[in-house]
Amino acid sequence: MINLQVPIDEKTVRSLRVGDQVSLSGAVLTARDRAHKYLVEEFVEVSQPNDDERENLLRIEQRLQDGVIYHCGPVVKEHDDGRAEFVSAGPTTSIREEGVQAEVIERFGVRAVIGKGGMGARTLSALKEYGAVYLHAIGGAATFLARSVERVDGVVHRDFGVAEAMWEIELKDFVAVVTMDSHGGSLHDEVREASASSLSGVLASMGQAPVDKQQR
Amino acid sequence: MSDALTDLYEPLLELIRRTSTDLPRDIDEAMTAAREKEEPGSAGENVFNILLQNIEMSRAGTSPLCQDTGMISFYVHHPSGMSQLAFKRVAERAVAAATAENRLRPNSVDSLSGESVDDNLGAGMPVFHFEEWEMDEIDVHLLLKGGGCENVGAQFSLPDVGLGADRDLAGVKRCVLEAVHLAQGRGCAPGILGIGIGGDRMGSYELAKEQLLRSLTDTNQDRVLADFEDEMFERCNELGIGPMGFGGKTTLLGVKAGVRNRIPASYFVSVAYACWAHRHRRLVVSKGKTEII
Ligand code: SF4
């Protein structure tokens, strides 16, 4: 198990390889579909951010520079005094952000993206170019992972809804596996290829046509 | 009768609470056994360690097992005379209450506007399947099925020339292997397959999903299907996709299949994929007494 502390520098990130198990601590920002759309529309596609968003931008930049994005739509207990607590906080499917993740990594200097299911070729090449990794959290381990959320420091755009808001959280010993690294490695590609060849073997032993003979 | 149904509010609320937090034991038993097969120290073994801890933590407390509390489906068997409308009303109230107390995440989204509603209700939410039977009991089987695994479900129309799948059991097997391979770990593997053979498109999917309500330890009454389930279970696990798709020995925890007649022109095969967090429980109402199983 490799300990990672946010902020993460480029050298550390580039030392990580596919298959490494990590334990991550420090400041993280949750962001899923609505938040990614917002980040791109407000801060990537425009040269000047909207005045109303300046303060949010500062907070986001501060968290994300050498920082971590977590694809997570949590269940949150919000107390009357304004405090918030993560009740349930597993990863959500990452591939939905494939269209914009590369831009967000570049714009904000993100060093790690946590999610589940892996991402595609565009993100993989952004990881390589800007020095970042994709960390696969344990899908569905929501209660366990919520215990790794030590504190909720605040929230940006609570109006997006509980699951879609950008929660500023502090993690302690959050467990994940590097499944895409900054050297072009992807565990998802490796397993897909290995399982495709196992599939051919299985089909052959069942007396069925092998995959490569089929018209795919 | 509708007065009696109002009394179901508390039991239904309790059914939702239990289903969301307390995974059926057959599933964690299968996971405990599967953990032994993974390489010591591997990412796959560690996934099982964490998931099993997660299951115990949720069971002991009040927080949902997974934050995606999923599509809420009630499968209701009832005696004649029970009002389905009255049942829906009381179940909807229980769903809204369970959402307010964080046992369910607000998970109902308007498909056109994208707006999320706070109480998990709305058009088509939750889902109800009613079936009248000759018994006096009301049997409510609740399924909470998350999106990650729902999205990797698949349907095939045979013959499928691309796959080389004909209209026979060998063709069905080819489809199942294809679906599991395409899903990789994205349905939060290890998963459980429900397979529907026959029917029309909708009936085939429905049948596949109903198989997920069976216990992992039951044996199919149909000998052919029982053998088919065993074979598919073994074969799919030989693909090596492993927990979360990290690679490993256990990709599936179980395979359950059902069959329906079809019309000569159609031959559908449907695969419903349930993630390891397969939350389903029954509420049985008999002679005024209620029991959650
Ligand atoms: S697929 Fe299942 S375990 Fe995974 S996030 Fe969805 S509901 Fe949770």
Side-chain angles (χ1 to χ4, degrees):
Chain A
M1 196 71 81
I2 298 166
N3 289 313
L4 279 184
Q5 177 68 46
V6 188
I8 308 170
D9 60 36
E10 180 165 0
K11 185 162 161 272
T12 306
V13 125
R14 294 217 183 259
S15 73
L16 296 171
R17 297 281 172 168
V18 154
D20 285 346
Q21 300 184 50
V22 303
S23 167
L24 179 102
S25 300
V28 168
L29 188 72
T30 70
R32 44 184 284 168
D33 311 12
R34 182 72 185 81
H36 276 81
K37 187 165 185 277
Y38 161 82
L39 291 174
V40 169
E41 283 176 0
E42 296 288 339
F43 310 123
V44 174
E45 287 170 354
V46 297
S47 49
Q48 276 286 4
N50 190 321
D51 276 347
D52 299 343
E53 299 296 342
R54 271 180 203 285
E55 196 198 323
N56 287 336
L57 175 62
L58 286 178
R59 283 166 71 181
I60 293 166
E61 281 178 337
Q62 200 199 2
R63 280 242 150 196
L64 292 189
Q65 179 64 52
D66 294 323
V68 180
I69 281 190
Y70 183 17
H71 296 156
C72 171
V75 176
V76 182
K77 193 184 275 170
E78 298 179 273
H79 299 278
D80 292 338
D81 60 5
R83 279 181 313 118
E85 214 180 300
F86 272 36
V87 174
S88 204
T92 189
T93 301
S94 299
I95 196 70
R96 292 194 306 266
E97 320 316 338
E98 178 62 13
V100 295
Q101 195 69 72
E103 284 77 8
V104 171
I105 290 171
E106 179 189 6
R107 166 70 178 80
F108 293 98
V110 176
R111 292 283 177 218
V113 174
I114 313 175
K116 76 169 176 105
M119 302 192 72
R122 276 190 87 229
T123 302
L124 188 60
S125 73
L127 298 179
K128 194 170 177 179
E129 184 165 358
Y130 307 110
V133 286
Y134 178 82
L135 301 175
H136 199 301
I138 310 304
T143 307
F144 181 91
L145 294 175
R147 305 247 167 133
S148 305
V149 180
E150 229 184 8
R151 229 181 32 238
V152 180
D153 296 326
V155 58
V156 179
H157 274 298
R158 172 65 183 79
D159 56 303
F160 290 173
V162 175
E164 299 286 341
M166 286 167 281
W167 294 93
E168 299 163 305
I169 55 176
E170 191 74 22
L171 296 184
K172 176 99 180 96
D173 302 329
F174 184 99
V175 181
V177 176
V178 178
T179 59
M180 294 164 68
D181 63 24
S182 65
H183 309 281
S186 162
L187 185 63
H188 307 286
D189 292 348
E190 287 173 22
V191 172
R192 189 176 302 108
E193 279 158 32
S195 62
S197 86
S198 302
L199 175 60
S200 293
V202 166
L203 290 174
S205 72
M206 291 169 71
Q208 298 214 11
V211 176
D212 57 3
K213 292 272 164 53
Q214 292 162 2
Q215 310 160 17
R216 317 240 263 166
Chain B
M1 196 75 196
S2 57
D3 274 357
L5 286 183
T6 318
D7 292 343
L8 285 187
Y9 171 74
E10 267 300 328
L12 283 171
L13 179 53
E14 191 54 26
L15 173 68
I16 300 169
R17 289 181 184 134
R18 281 283 300 279
T19 309
S20 157
T21 54
D22 183 2
L23 193 69
R25 294 270 175 191
D26 55 338
I27 299 168
D28 41 312
E29 278 160 14
M31 287 166 70
T32 305
R35 172 170 61 181
E36 301 305 314
K37 296 189 193 139
E38 300 297 341
E39 296 293 325
S42 66
E45 187 202 44
N46 206 21
V47 169
F48 280 118
N49 285 334
I50 290 173
L51 294 183
L52 287 164
Q53 287 180 61
N54 186 68
I55 291 167
E56 282 311 324
M57 283 175 178
S58 295
R59 189 172 276 148
T62 58
S63 60
L65 185 66
C66 175
Q67 79 283 344
D68 185 355
T69 52
M71 186 60 113
I72 304 157
S73 300
F74 291 94
Y75 294 82
V76 187
H77 284 84
H78 62 87
S80 72
M82 187 201 85
S83 160
Q84 297 182 354
L85 268 182
F87 183 91
K88 281 186 181 177
R89 292 297 97 82
V90 65
E92 283 164 0
R93 277 207 295 136
V95 164
T99 311
E101 59 181 48
N102 277 332
R103 294 295 181 111
L104 296 175
R105 181 176 75 177
N107 229 12
S108 170
V109 178
D110 182 312
S111 296
L112 292 181
S113 71
E115 297 291 321
S116 174
V117 294
D118 287 338
D119 57 7
N120 263 316
L121 304 180
M125 299 276 269
V127 175
F128 294 97
H129 298 267
F130 289 104
E131 187 85 23
E132 184 178 317
W133 63 2
E134 285 175 357
M135 313 229 253
D136 293 328
E137 290 100 66
I138 303 177
D139 185 309
V140 184
H141 203 138
L142 172 65
L143 173 66
L144 301 176
K145 190 166 185 301
C149 60
E150 182 70 5
N151 293 349
V152 298
Q155 188 170 66
F156 302 85
S157 174
L158 300 187
D160 186 317
V161 181
L163 284 183
D166 289 328
R167 293 181 154 194
D168 52 24
L169 210 49
V172 176
K173 290 174 187 171
R174 180 67 191 88
C175 296
V176 172
L177 284 162
E178 182 69 10
V180 173
H181 183 251
L182 283 176
Q184 292 289 306
R186 291 177 295 125
C188 285
I192 298 150
L193 295 190
I195 298 164
I197 307 168
D200 62 357
R201 279 199 187 274
M202 187 169 145
S204 179
Y205 262 132
E206 191 174 70
L207 179 66
K209 235 177 199 182
E210 279 167 8
Q211 304 311 309
L212 295 175
L213 301 177
R214 290 166 49 192
S215 160
L216 280 185
T217 55
D218 75 358
T219 306
N220 203 312
Q221 299 289 312
D222 183 313
R223 279 289 300 280
V224 174
L225 288 181
D227 291 346
F228 168 83
E229 290 174 355
D230 290 346
E231 185 184 1
M232 284 295 93
F233 178 67
E234 237 168 75
R235 295 304 194 180
C236 291
N237 280 327
E238 286 171 21
L239 298 183
I241 294 163
M244 293 297 135
F246 293 165
K249 303 278 191 308
T250 300
T251 305
L252 295 182
L253 298 169
V255 175
K256 301 286 161 186
V259 66
R260 273 191 194 178
N261 282 12
R262 58 186 176 86
I263 57 171
S266 300
Y267 196 127
F268 292 109
V269 179
S270 300
V271 179
Y273 194 110
C275 55
W276 67 269
H278 180 32
R279 290 147 290 177
H280 68 111
R281 283 195 176 271
R282 279 167 66 207
L283 168 71
V284 179
V285 186
S286 177
K287 302 198 180 70
K289 285 209 184 71
T290 62
E291 189 190 0
I292 292 173
I293 304 169

